[in-house]
PDB file of all heavy atoms in Angstrom:
ATOM      1  N   ALA A 437     -61.424  11.046 -92.941  1.00 98.00           N
ATOM      2  CA  ALA A 437     -62.534  11.999 -92.909  1.00 98.00           C
ATOM      3  C   ALA A 437     -63.840  11.295 -92.548  1.00 98.00           C
ATOM      4  O   ALA A 437     -64.678  11.859 -91.823  1.00 98.00           O
ATOM      5  CB  ALA A 437     -62.660  12.703 -94.259  1.00 98.00           C
ATOM      6  N   ALA A 438     -64.024  10.082 -93.040  1.00 98.00           N
ATOM      7  CA  ALA A 438     -65.223   9.311 -92.694  1.00 98.00           C
ATOM      8  C   ALA A 438     -65.251   9.008 -91.198  1.00 98.00           C
ATOM      9  O   ALA A 438     -66.299   9.123 -90.545  1.00 98.00           O
ATOM     10  CB  ALA A 438     -65.258   8.017 -93.502  1.00 98.00           C
ATOM     11  N   LEU A 439     -64.099   8.642 -90.648  1.00 98.00           N
ATOM     12  CA  LEU A 439     -64.015   8.376 -89.207  1.00 98.00           C
ATOM     13  C   LEU A 439     -64.338   9.624 -88.403  1.00 98.00           C
ATOM     14  O   LEU A 439     -65.068   9.578 -87.402  1.00 98.00           O
ATOM     15  CB  LEU A 439     -62.615   7.874 -88.857  1.00 98.00           C
ATOM     16  CG  LEU A 439     -62.262   6.454 -89.292  1.00 98.00           C
ATOM     17  CD1 LEU A 439     -60.761   6.225 -89.203  1.00 98.00           C
ATOM     18  CD2 LEU A 439     -63.001   5.427 -88.426  1.00 98.00           C
ATOM     19  N   ALA A 440     -63.800  10.763 -88.833  1.00 98.00           N
ATOM     20  CA  ALA A 440     -64.005  12.013 -88.100  1.00 98.00           C
ATOM     21  C   ALA A 440     -65.462  12.456 -88.136  1.00 98.00           C
ATOM     22  O   ALA A 440     -65.937  13.145 -87.221  1.00 98.00           O
ATOM     23  CB  ALA A 440     -63.108  13.106 -88.678  1.00 98.00           C
ATOM     24  N   ALA A 441     -66.188  12.081 -89.185  1.00 98.00           N
ATOM     25  CA  ALA A 441     -67.576  12.515 -89.342  1.00 98.00           C
ATOM     26  C   ALA A 441     -68.570  11.662 -88.565  1.00 98.00           C
ATOM     27  O   ALA A 441     -69.726  12.063 -88.393  1.00 98.00           O
ATOM     28  CB  ALA A 441     -67.959  12.501 -90.825  1.00 98.00           C
ATOM     29  N   ALA A 442     -68.136  10.485 -88.100  1.00 98.00           N
ATOM     30  CA  ALA A 442     -69.075   9.503 -87.558  1.00 98.00           C
ATOM     31  C   ALA A 442     -69.036   9.426 -86.033  1.00 98.00           C
ATOM     32  O   ALA A 442     -67.973   9.485 -85.420  1.00 98.00           O
ATOM     33  CB  ALA A 442     -68.783   8.134 -88.144  1.00 98.00           C
ATOM     34  N   GLN A 443     -70.211   9.231 -85.457  1.00 98.00           N
ATOM     35  CA  GLN A 443     -70.304   9.000 -84.015  1.00 98.00           C
ATOM     36  C   GLN A 443     -69.868   7.575 -83.667  1.00 98.00           C
ATOM     37  O   GLN A 443     -69.229   7.351 -82.643  1.00 98.00           O
ATOM     38  CB  GLN A 443     -71.739   9.234 -83.544  1.00 98.00           C
ATOM     39  CG  GLN A 443     -71.941   9.048 -82.051  1.00 98.00           C
ATOM     40  CD  GLN A 443     -73.350   9.399 -81.609  1.00 98.00           C
ATOM     41  OE1 GLN A 443     -74.128   9.975 -82.372  1.00 98.00           O
ATOM     42  NE2 GLN A 443     -73.694   9.049 -80.386  1.00 98.00           N
ATOM     43  N   ARG A 444     -70.199   6.624 -84.547  1.00 98.00           N
ATOM     44  CA  ARG A 444     -69.832   5.217 -84.325  1.00 98.00           C
ATOM     45  C   ARG A 444     -69.042   4.726 -85.523  1.00 98.00           C
ATOM     46  O   ARG A 444     -69.427   4.957 -86.666  1.00 98.00           O
ATOM     47  CB  ARG A 444     -71.092   4.365 -84.141  1.00 98.00           C
ATOM     48  CG  ARG A 444     -70.811   2.885 -83.945  1.00 98.00           C
ATOM     49  CD  ARG A 444     -72.058   2.082 -83.649  1.00 98.00           C
ATOM     50  NE  ARG A 444     -73.080   2.212 -84.688  1.00 98.00           N
ATOM     51  CZ  ARG A 444     -74.130   1.399 -84.817  1.00 98.00           C
ATOM     52  NH1 ARG A 444     -74.313   0.407 -83.960  1.00 98.00           N
ATOM     53  NH2 ARG A 444     -75.014   1.586 -85.786  1.00 98.00           N
ATOM     54  N   LYS A 445     -67.916   4.033 -85.236  1.00 98.00           N
ATOM     55  CA  LYS A 445     -67.030   3.562 -86.300  1.00 98.00           C
ATOM     56  C   LYS A 445     -66.955   2.040 -86.266  1.00 98.00           C
ATOM     57  O   LYS A 445     -66.514   1.457 -85.278  1.00 98.00           O
ATOM     58  CB  LYS A 445     -65.622   4.129 -86.145  1.00 98.00           C
ATOM     59  CG  LYS A 445     -65.535   5.641 -86.262  1.00 98.00           C
ATOM     60  CD  LYS A 445     -65.597   6.323 -84.928  1.00 98.00           C
ATOM     61  CE  LYS A 445     -65.246   7.805 -85.050  1.00 98.00           C
ATOM     62  NZ  LYS A 445     -65.500   8.545 -83.781  1.00 98.00           N
ATOM     63  N   ILE A 446     -67.369   1.419 -87.365  1.00 98.00           N
ATOM     64  CA  ILE A 446     -67.372  -0.037 -87.476  1.00 98.00           C
ATOM     65  C   ILE A 446     -66.479  -0.446 -88.639  1.00 98.00           C
ATOM     66  O   ILE A 446     -66.675   0.009 -89.765  1.00 98.00           O
ATOM     67  CB  ILE A 446     -68.793  -0.587 -87.708  1.00 98.00           C
ATOM     68  CG1 ILE A 446     -69.729  -0.175 -86.568  1.00 98.00           C
ATOM     69  CG2 ILE A 446     -68.760  -2.106 -87.863  1.00 98.00           C
ATOM     70  CD1 ILE A 446     -71.181  -0.558 -86.815  1.00 98.00           C
ATOM     71  N   ALA A 447     -65.497  -1.294 -88.382  1.00 98.00           N
ATOM     72  CA  ALA A 447     -64.672  -1.860 -89.447  1.00 98.00           C
ATOM     73  C   ALA A 447     -65.188  -3.246 -89.791  1.00 98.00           C
ATOM     74  O   ALA A 447     -65.614  -3.999 -88.906  1.00 98.00           O
ATOM     75  CB  ALA A 447     -63.212  -1.936 -89.021  1.00 98.00           C
ATOM     76  N   VAL A 448     -65.154  -3.594 -91.068  1.00 98.00           N
ATOM     77  CA  VAL A 448     -65.632  -4.904 -91.513  1.00 98.00           C
ATOM     78  C   VAL A 448     -64.548  -5.572 -92.356  1.00 98.00           C
ATOM     79  O   VAL A 448     -63.932  -4.942 -93.210  1.00 98.00           O
ATOM     80  CB  VAL A 448     -66.945  -4.784 -92.321  1.00 98.00           C
ATOM     81  CG1 VAL A 448     -68.070  -4.293 -91.437  1.00 98.00           C
ATOM     82  CG2 VAL A 448     -66.789  -3.848 -93.518  1.00 98.00           C
ATOM     83  N   CYS A 449     -64.311  -6.852 -92.094  1.00 96.00           N
ATOM     84  CA  CYS A 449     -63.302  -7.581 -92.871  1.00 96.00           C
ATOM     85  C   CYS A 449     -63.390  -9.066 -92.557  1.00 96.00           C
ATOM     86  O   CYS A 449     -63.815  -9.459 -91.481  1.00 96.00           O
ATOM     87  CB  CYS A 449     -61.894  -7.074 -92.559  1.00 96.00           C
ATOM     88  SG  CYS A 449     -61.368  -7.320 -90.846  1.00 96.00           S
ATOM     89  N   ASP A 450     -62.958  -9.890 -93.514  1.00 93.00           N
ATOM     90  CA  ASP A 450     -62.817 -11.312 -93.242  1.00 93.00           C
ATOM     91  C   ASP A 450     -61.483 -11.549 -92.530  1.00 93.00           C
ATOM     92  O   ASP A 450     -60.643 -10.643 -92.427  1.00 93.00           O
ATOM     93  CB  ASP A 450     -62.904 -12.130 -94.531  1.00 93.00           C
ATOM     94  CG  ASP A 450     -61.761 -11.835 -95.479  1.00 93.00           C
ATOM     95  OD1 ASP A 450     -60.687 -12.444 -95.314  1.00 93.00           O
ATOM     96  OD2 ASP A 450     -61.926 -10.994 -96.379  1.00 93.00           O
ATOM     97  N   GLY A 451     -61.285 -12.759 -92.048  1.00 94.00           N
ATOM     98  CA  GLY A 451     -60.136 -13.057 -91.194  1.00 94.00           C
ATOM     99  C   GLY A 451     -58.786 -12.893 -91.851  1.00 94.00           C
ATOM    100  O   GLY A 451     -57.777 -12.694 -91.151  1.00 94.00           O
ATOM    101  N   SER A 452     -58.720 -12.950 -93.179  1.00 89.00           N
ATOM    102  CA  SER A 452     -57.429 -12.846 -93.862  1.00 89.00           C
ATOM    103  C   SER A 452     -56.778 -11.484 -93.680  1.00 89.00           C
ATOM    104  O   SER A 452     -55.555 -11.345 -93.786  1.00 89.00           O
ATOM    105  CB  SER A 452     -57.593 -13.139 -95.358  1.00 89.00           C
ATOM    106  OG  SER A 452     -58.355 -12.118 -95.988  1.00 89.00           O
ATOM    107  N   LYS A 453     -57.580 -10.445 -93.405  1.00 93.00           N
ATOM    108  CA  LYS A 453     -57.035  -9.090 -93.333  1.00 93.00           C
ATOM    109  C   LYS A 453     -56.185  -8.864 -92.084  1.00 93.00           C
ATOM    110  O   LYS A 453     -55.416  -7.900 -92.013  1.00 93.00           O
ATOM    111  CB  LYS A 453     -58.173  -8.073 -93.378  1.00 93.00           C
ATOM    112  CG  LYS A 453     -59.030  -8.183 -94.627  1.00 93.00           C
ATOM    113  CD  LYS A 453     -58.225  -7.982 -95.902  1.00 93.00           C
ATOM    114  CE  LYS A 453     -59.048  -8.239 -97.150  1.00 93.00           C
ATOM    115  NZ  LYS A 453     -60.164  -7.328 -97.321  1.00 93.00           N
ATOM    116  N   PHE A 454     -56.308  -9.764 -91.095  1.00 95.00           N
ATOM    117  CA  PHE A 454     -55.530  -9.602 -89.861  1.00 95.00           C
ATOM    118  C   PHE A 454     -54.076 -10.043 -90.037  1.00 95.00           C
ATOM    119  O   PHE A 454     -53.253  -9.821 -89.151  1.00 95.00           O
ATOM    120  CB  PHE A 454     -56.177 -10.381 -88.717  1.00 95.00           C
ATOM    121  CG  PHE A 454     -57.515  -9.825 -88.306  1.00 95.00           C
ATOM    122  CD1 PHE A 454     -58.683 -10.280 -88.900  1.00 95.00           C
ATOM    123  CD2 PHE A 454     -57.604  -8.836 -87.346  1.00 95.00           C
ATOM    124  CE1 PHE A 454     -59.921  -9.762 -88.529  1.00 95.00           C
ATOM    125  CE2 PHE A 454     -58.832  -8.313 -86.969  1.00 95.00           C
ATOM    126  CZ  PHE A 454     -59.995  -8.778 -87.566  1.00 95.00           C
ATOM    127  N   THR A 455     -53.770 -10.660 -91.162  1.00 89.00           N
ATOM    128  CA  THR A 455     -52.389 -11.075 -91.442  1.00 89.00           C
ATOM    129  C   THR A 455     -51.728 -10.157 -92.464  1.00 89.00           C
ATOM    130  O   THR A 455     -50.619 -10.436 -92.912  1.00 89.00           O
ATOM    131  CB  THR A 455     -52.365 -12.524 -91.961  1.00 89.00           C
ATOM    132  OG1 THR A 455     -53.111 -12.600 -93.189  1.00 89.00           O
ATOM    133  CG2 THR A 455     -52.977 -13.479 -90.945  1.00 89.00           C
ATOM    134  N   ARG A 456     -52.388  -9.065 -92.838  1.00 89.00           N
ATOM    135  CA  ARG A 456     -51.880  -8.172 -93.867  1.00 89.00           C
ATOM    136  C   ARG A 456     -51.714  -6.758 -93.323  1.00 89.00           C
ATOM    137  O   ARG A 456     -52.404  -6.367 -92.381  1.00 89.00           O
ATOM    138  CB  ARG A 456     -52.827  -8.146 -95.076  1.00 89.00           C
ATOM    139  CG  ARG A 456     -53.061  -9.517 -95.692  1.00 89.00           C
ATOM    140  CD  ARG A 456     -54.112  -9.460 -96.783  1.00 89.00           C
ATOM    141  NE  ARG A 456     -54.439 -10.783 -97.293  1.00 89.00           N
ATOM    142  CZ  ARG A 456     -55.402 -11.041 -98.170  1.00 89.00           C
ATOM    143  NH1 ARG A 456     -56.134 -10.041 -98.647  1.00 89.00           N
ATOM    144  NH2 ARG A 456     -55.634 -12.274 -98.576  1.00 89.00           N
ATOM    145  N   THR A 457     -50.827  -6.015 -93.936  1.00 91.00           N
ATOM    146  CA  THR A 457     -50.631  -4.609 -93.585  1.00 91.00           C
ATOM    147  C   THR A 457     -50.503  -3.801 -94.860  1.00 91.00           C
ATOM    148  O   THR A 457     -49.646  -4.082 -95.699  1.00 91.00           O
ATOM    149  CB  THR A 457     -49.367  -4.408 -92.729  1.00 91.00           C
ATOM    150  OG1 THR A 457     -49.450  -5.222 -91.566  1.00 91.00           O
ATOM    151  CG2 THR A 457     -49.233  -2.948 -92.305  1.00 91.00           C
ATOM    152  N   GLY A 458     -51.366  -2.807 -95.033  1.00 90.00           N
ATOM    153  CA  GLY A 458     -51.297  -1.944 -96.193  1.00 90.00           C
ATOM    154  C   GLY A 458     -50.235  -0.868 -96.024  1.00 90.00           C
ATOM    155  O   GLY A 458     -49.700  -0.652 -94.931  1.00 90.00           O
ATOM    156  N   LEU A 459     -49.948  -0.168 -97.106  1.00 91.00           N
ATOM    157  CA  LEU A 459     -48.900   0.845 -97.100  1.00 91.00           C
ATOM    158  C   LEU A 459     -49.277   2.070 -96.279  1.00 91.00           C
ATOM    159  O   LEU A 459     -48.438   2.660 -95.594  1.00 91.00           O
ATOM    160  CB  LEU A 459     -48.609   1.262 -98.547  1.00 91.00           C
ATOM    161  CG  LEU A 459     -47.552   2.343 -98.766  1.00 91.00           C
ATOM    162  CD1 LEU A 459     -46.183   1.866 -98.287  1.00 91.00           C
ATOM    163  CD2 LEU A 459     -47.492   2.728-100.241  1.00 91.00           C
ATOM    164  N   GLY A 460     -50.554   2.475 -96.341  1.00 95.00           N
ATOM    165  CA  GLY A 460     -50.978   3.709 -95.693  1.00 95.00           C
ATOM    166  C   GLY A 460     -51.666   3.475 -94.364  1.00 95.00           C
ATOM    167  O   GLY A 460     -52.602   2.680 -94.269  1.00 95.00           O
TER     168      GLY A 460
END
């Protein structure tokens, strides 16, 4: 819903998140 509401979408994360996959 946050993505749908926004004109610009920015994701933020440190490098460790690129080796992980969440359930959803």
Side-chain angles (χ1 to χ4, degrees):
L439 287 165
Q443 181 175 349
R444 178 175 57 165
K445 297 94 169 171
I446 302 174
V448 294
C449 63
D450 64 84
S452 67
K453 302 301 174 63
F454 293 90
T455 61
R456 302 174 186 174
T457 304
L459 179 63

